[in-house]
Amino acid sequence: MGSEAQNINMVKDLNVEEGEYSEPVSPTGQYFNSSVLSISVLAVLDSDIPIDDSPTLTLLKDVFLPINPRFSSVMVKEENGEKKWKKVEVKLEDHVNIPIFPPGLSPESYDNHLRDYLSKIAMEQLPNNRPLWNIHIIKYPTSHAAGNVIFKLHHSLGDGYSLMGALLSCLQRADNPTVPLTFPSLGPAPTPKLSVDSNSVLKNIPNVIWSALNTMSDFGWSLLKSTCVEDDRSLIRSGNAGVEFKPVVISTMTFSLDHIKQVKTKLGVTINDVITGIIFLGTRLYMQGTVGGSKKLNNAQSTALVLLNTRAIGGYKSVKEMVETDADSAWGNQFGFLHVSLPELSSVESCHPLDFVWKAQKLIQRKRNSRAVFLTGQLLECLRKYTGPEATAKYIHSTLKNSSMTVSNVIGPVERMALADHPVRGLYFMVVGVPQSLTITMVSYMGNLRVAIGTEEGYIDPTKFKSSVETAFGMILNASKEIV
């Protein structure tokens, strides 16, 4: 009762006016900002030119805050226990950070300073007594950019689709600001269609039965993995309690989408299948090549949580459409996750690189075609209804903790963007506060795929892991060229 009264007093202190914006916090928003989970997203923009920070406050006031009322709101608990977004007066100066690094260093030295700064802000908790976002402006040249702008957004504000839409609302096309940005196709994954022709009903029965069996198997396995079956401790999973509070090292690499499309065409798979195959092979190569790894550790039981956007959409909508439209494309957290086991690698010498792509395709397609993601969503809703959001958050924490890694991706624009007349050379994002030793995220932009890797500091070697993924990409690309 004391914490509830404190929250209510906090609302009064923040000058919330009667009749202003008030919206219930979504269930997922409550899970991601609970006593056991506090997950945020770091979105990093690489600027082509040195950053002039003078228009920052004006941009935030006139462009960023109007995107969504949640950016001007705090999450509070009312007397009945319900959590709501309540609008407050935003002191923009409190949300802007411009760190000071030593002057006159080389770009490579500033790479290290940026890496350490990202690790620092990844561990920091966003204060609950003000809106759950911050912006950081790095005015030092690294080997990738003349400067950086970093948005830290709490995941309770929305999922990757929503937050990317918000970020893009602050940006314009560099070549012509009056023309909207365009994106690669983002259609829903195809699902097999069952014929309703009377002559084909009997032929459909085996498919229906097989789909039902897959659904029950996948849902049962997901339930076990979220409760009592942990992945093995391995070279990519420390299994230590409180890993989400330990420093994380963020490193990135870039791949050509044209090369990935070449592999896609040769193998007859999707771009996501190719990317997942590269990540899985790279992970196994890292585990094989790490000194001190036994054969058991090299092929330890390792599961990836592959995050899916569950909206039935064909591309990014405007933020206004996200906020006002129907639930299929609405703002918020709308995603599910698939438990996908990493294929084993007996040895590097006997490795068939393309097998990892085909296995990734088979596993993900099978799980997509089952209804396990839907059943998991229903389970979470039942847990929330009968045990409360805190208990449900503990279930999600266990789901993350018991697996080895999370893989997620979002789509970026085809054209070069600009932020307040600063051309954006590249961008990447990272999910932080996750109870795992390894997190991998991807975003496409201007014909390239930027892969970001978050690793537990002192446990996973980020340089060696990055090298392993790059090697896997080369192996799969070269193997695909041999296909006639």
Side-chain angles (χ1 to χ4, degrees):
M1 188 66 184
S3 61
E4 291 180 3
Q6 184 179 6
N7 281 324
I8 294 167
N9 289 332
M10 181 181 68
V11 178
K12 293 178 180 177
D13 292 341
L14 290 167
N15 300 319
V16 179
E17 296 181 7
E18 194 70 31
E20 285 195 355
Y21 166 81
S22 175
E23 177 194 7
V25 178
S26 69
T28 308
Q30 295 185 54
Y31 309 151
F32 284 166
N33 191 19
S34 63
S35 63
V36 292
L37 281 176
S38 182
I39 297 178
S40 297
V41 176
L42 297 179
V44 184
L45 303 181
D46 296 333
S47 176
D48 247 343
I49 61 176
I51 294 178
D52 172 16
D53 63 338
S54 60
T56 301
L57 297 183
T58 301
L59 185 70
L60 290 174
K61 179 183 177 182
D62 297 339
V63 179
F64 183 74
L65 291 186
I67 289 172
N68 191 284
R70 296 181 190 179
F71 294 150
S72 305
S73 303
V74 296
M75 187 184 295
V76 298
K77 184 184 288 185
E78 303 211 319
E79 290 181 333
N80 61 2
E82 182 182 6
K83 287 187 176 181
K84 286 190 173 184
W85 294 107
K86 293 285 189 179
K87 195 161 187 177
V88 298
E89 182 181 346
V90 183
K91 295 181 179 179
L92 292 174
E93 297 85 355
D94 294 341
H95 293 265
V96 179
N97 304 273
I98 306 177
I100 303 298
F101 296 160
L105 302 181
S106 67
E108 291 74 23
S109 296
Y110 285 128
D111 284 343
N112 294 329
H113 281 282
L114 176 61
R115 180 198 63 200
D116 293 343
Y117 188 77
L118 286 171
S119 179
K120 171 180 173 288
I121 64 175
M123 289 190 297
E124 293 174 349
Q125 296 295 309
L126 289 165
N128 281 314
N129 62 348
R130 65 189 191 204
L132 296 171
W133 61 270
N134 276 333
I135 183 172
H136 304 261
I137 300 173
I138 310 298
K139 303 177 71 172
Y140 300 91
T142 65
S143 58
H144 295 290
N148 296 92
V149 178
I150 306 165
F151 290 84
K152 182 171 184 178
L153 306 164
H154 201 281
H155 222 320
S156 59
L157 296 170
D159 58 15
Y161 172 83
S162 299
L163 298 179
M164 175 61 80
L167 181 61
L168 295 175
S169 295
C170 302
L171 300 162
Q172 299 172 317
R173 276 182 63 155
D175 59 344
N176 189 347
T178 63
V179 178
L181 294 162
T182 59
F183 301 86
S185 173
L186 185 62
T191 55
K193 296 181 179 179
L194 300 180
S195 172
V196 294
D197 185 278
S198 58
N199 295 326
S200 302
V201 171
L202 291 178
K203 293 181 181 179
N204 288 335
I205 290 176
N207 291 332
V208 173
I209 294 174
W210 183 245
S211 177
L213 289 174
N214 281 344
T215 295
M216 297 312 298
S217 172
D218 292 341
F219 177 67
W221 179 238
S222 176
L223 187 62
L224 288 172
K225 291 296 296 180
S226 297
T227 52
C228 56
V229 178
E230 292 188 36
D231 276 3
D232 296 333
R233 288 178 179 255
S234 68
L235 297 169
I236 61 168
R237 180 178 182 268
S238 67
N240 295 328
V243 65
E244 62 267 40
F245 304 114
K246 295 186 177 181
V248 59
V249 178
I250 300 173
S251 53
T252 71
M253 66 192 83
T254 302
F255 298 126
S256 165
L257 276 176
D258 285 340
H259 288 158
I260 294 174
K261 289 175 182 177
Q262 288 176 22
V263 180
K264 163 189 172 292
T265 302
K266 283 290 187 75
L267 273 60
V269 298
T270 68
I271 288 178
N272 276 339
D273 295 333
V274 178
I275 295 169
T276 307
I278 292 168
I279 296 300
F280 285 1
L281 175 57
T283 302
R284 285 301 189 191
L285 289 175
Y286 171 79
M287 297 169 78
Q288 287 276 353
T290 300
V291 177
S294 65
K295 185 175 181 180
K296 181 178 178 181
L297 281 177
N298 293 345
N299 273 315
Q301 171 61 44
S302 301
T303 307
L305 284 178
V306 179
L307 299 189
L308 299 175
N309 186 339
T310 59
R311 295 172 174 82
I313 54 173
Y316 283 105
K317 292 178 178 281
S318 70
V319 172
K320 182 178 180 181
E321 288 175 306
M322 286 187 206
V323 175
E324 297 178 353
T325 192
D326 57 80
D328 281 342
S329 56
W331 180 283
N333 283 287
Q334 297 188 44
F335 63 88
F337 48 79
L338 301 177
H339 283 92
V340 182
S341 296
L342 269 67
E344 292 189 0
L345 176 63
S346 55
S347 69
V348 178
E349 293 76 16
S350 62
C351 171
H352 298 286
L354 300 184
D355 286 348
F356 277 78
V357 179
W358 282 315
K359 286 177 181 178
Q361 180 205 31
K362 183 178 179 181
L363 286 167
I364 293 175
Q365 187 175 47
R366 173 183 174 276
K367 290 177 180 289
R368 276 184 180 272
N369 290 340
S370 80
R371 299 285 287 168
V373 172
F374 170 77
L375 291 179
T376 300
Q378 293 301 302
L379 173 64
L380 293 178
E381 178 59 23
C382 288
L383 285 173
R384 183 191 68 82
K385 183 180 290 186
Y386 297 110
T387 64
E390 283 291 327
T392 311
K394 290 179 181 178
Y395 180 88
I396 295 174
H397 182 278
S398 179
T399 300
L400 293 164
K401 179 181 69 70
N402 289 354
S403 58
S404 296
M405 60 193 288
T406 299
V407 180
S408 60
N409 67 81
V410 296
I411 292 178
V414 174
E415 302 87 8
R416 182 181 294 272
M417 305 180 294
L419 175 65
D421 298 323
H422 290 68
V424 176
R425 182 182 300 178
L427 74 156
Y428 58 96
F429 75 100
M430 178 52 58
V431 183
V432 296
V434 179
Q436 293 175 324
S437 300
L438 177 62
T439 303
I440 298 177
T441 64
M442 292 160 279
V443 60
S444 62
Y445 178 53
M446 290 201 312
N448 290 315
L449 184 75
R450 189 79 170 268
V451 180
I453 303 169
T455 54
E456 180 183 345
E457 186 176 77
Y459 189 79
I460 296 176
D461 184 334
T463 303
K464 185 173 291 185
F465 191 92
K466 176 180 172 181
S467 175
S468 298
V469 175
E470 290 172 336
T471 299
F473 175 73
M475 290 171 66
I476 288 174
L477 179 62
N478 292 332
S480 71
K481 292 178 180 178
E482 298 176 3
I483 297 178
V484 179

